[in-house]
Amino acid sequence: MPRRVVATALACASLGLLGAAPDTGATVPLPARMADTGGGTQLITAVAPRAGTTSGTLTWWDLRGDRWTPAGSAPARFGAKGLVEGAARRQGTSTTPTGLYGLPYAFGIRPAPPGTSYAYRPVRQDSWWCQDNKSRAYNRWTEPRPADCRAAESEHLVTYRTQYAYALVIGFNYRTPVRGRGAGIFLHVDGRGATAGCVSVPAEAMRRVLAWARPGKRPHIAIGTTDGRTAVTRY
């Protein structure tokens, strides 16, 4: 086989593992190999090659009939210390939690992209995300910041003008927060490098995702690796 053909075949195989390449009919789409997709008809997968890496691929999918079809994909960044099982994650470790999570709502410093149907909260000067483990507002948007939520232990959202131009809240540790597990995990716009635990993509990809997502289709995000203990197919 010519060297160019071999290289092309290997590249396509790699993309297939990440769920980034359109399904050709010869392979089973990534969502169909997962243990759970959240019960909706839309899904986002964020997949890294290994737990220790900081980059991978984000793909968003539609369930059409009985078949999952990719609607788009983009390069993704993860935590500076890689990925870790969500249930075992500790706050402040710069790791991205693996697992399957809901997407409660969107927010942004910039106006919602055209076509956005998700609930979209505008970031204002007094918008904070509380990460103070001692606060009753732990892992919640606060406006203004309550007295029991220390500024040094929280994110002043408006100061992250690039990253939070557009964002989706990832429902990690959100419904019933466990203190010390982590707060403020989002899908947001790329910064200068790896994240502090979120998943990030280029700005255009965030605009496309927000225009695509439909709350009535119950989209979820699955974060994981191609294989191993944190394989995305386990969630």
Side-chain angles (χ1 to χ4, degrees), residues 47-193:
V47 186
R50 297 173 303 281
T53 56
T54 61
S55 61
T57 303
L58 188 93
T59 307
W60 48 106
W61 307 78
D62 289 301
L63 182 60
R64 298 176 179 173
D66 60 353
R67 190 166 186 81
W68 286 98
T69 303
S73 66
R77 294 174 179 171
F78 301 97
K81 297 295 180 65
L83 294 82
V84 68
E85 178 68 48
R89 186 182 186 272
R90 302 300 300 170
Q91 187 164 324
T93 55
S94 294
T95 53
T96 297
T98 61
L100 178 70
Y101 306 106
L103 299 163
Y105 59 90
F107 68 90
I109 293 171
R110 302 194 64 180
T116 300
S117 60
Y118 239 74
Y120 191 89
R121 299 189 69 163
V123 174
R124 301 183 176 92
Q125 186 60 38
D126 60 352
S127 301
W128 292 75
W129 196 276
C130 184
Q131 299 182 359
D132 189 335
N133 281 283
K134 297 180 180 179
S135 174
R136 290 172 293 177
Y138 179 67
N139 202 19
R140 288 291 184 272
W141 176 297
T142 65
E143 201 174 275
R145 179 176 52 84
D148 73 343
C149 182
R150 292 168 292 173
E153 298 293 327
S154 303
E155 280 194 350
H156 192 196
L157 299 178
V158 75
T159 63
Y160 296 88
R161 303 200 68 84
T162 297
Q163 294 92 327
Y164 297 158
Y166 312 103
L168 267 168
V169 177
I170 294 176
F172 166 73
N173 198 31
Y174 187 78
R175 181 173 295 181
T176 308
V178 175
R179 311 286 167 154
R181 183 164 291 171
I185 301 298
F186 312 127
L187 172 61
H188 64 68
V189 176
D190 283 339
R192 293 184 178 180

Side-chain angles (χ1 to χ4, degrees), residues 10-36:
L10 289 172
C12 290
S14 176
L15 285 171
L17 284 173
L18 290 174
D23 181 59
T24 62
T27 58
V28 178
L30 176 59
R33 293 183 272 122
M34 292 173 53
D36 186 8

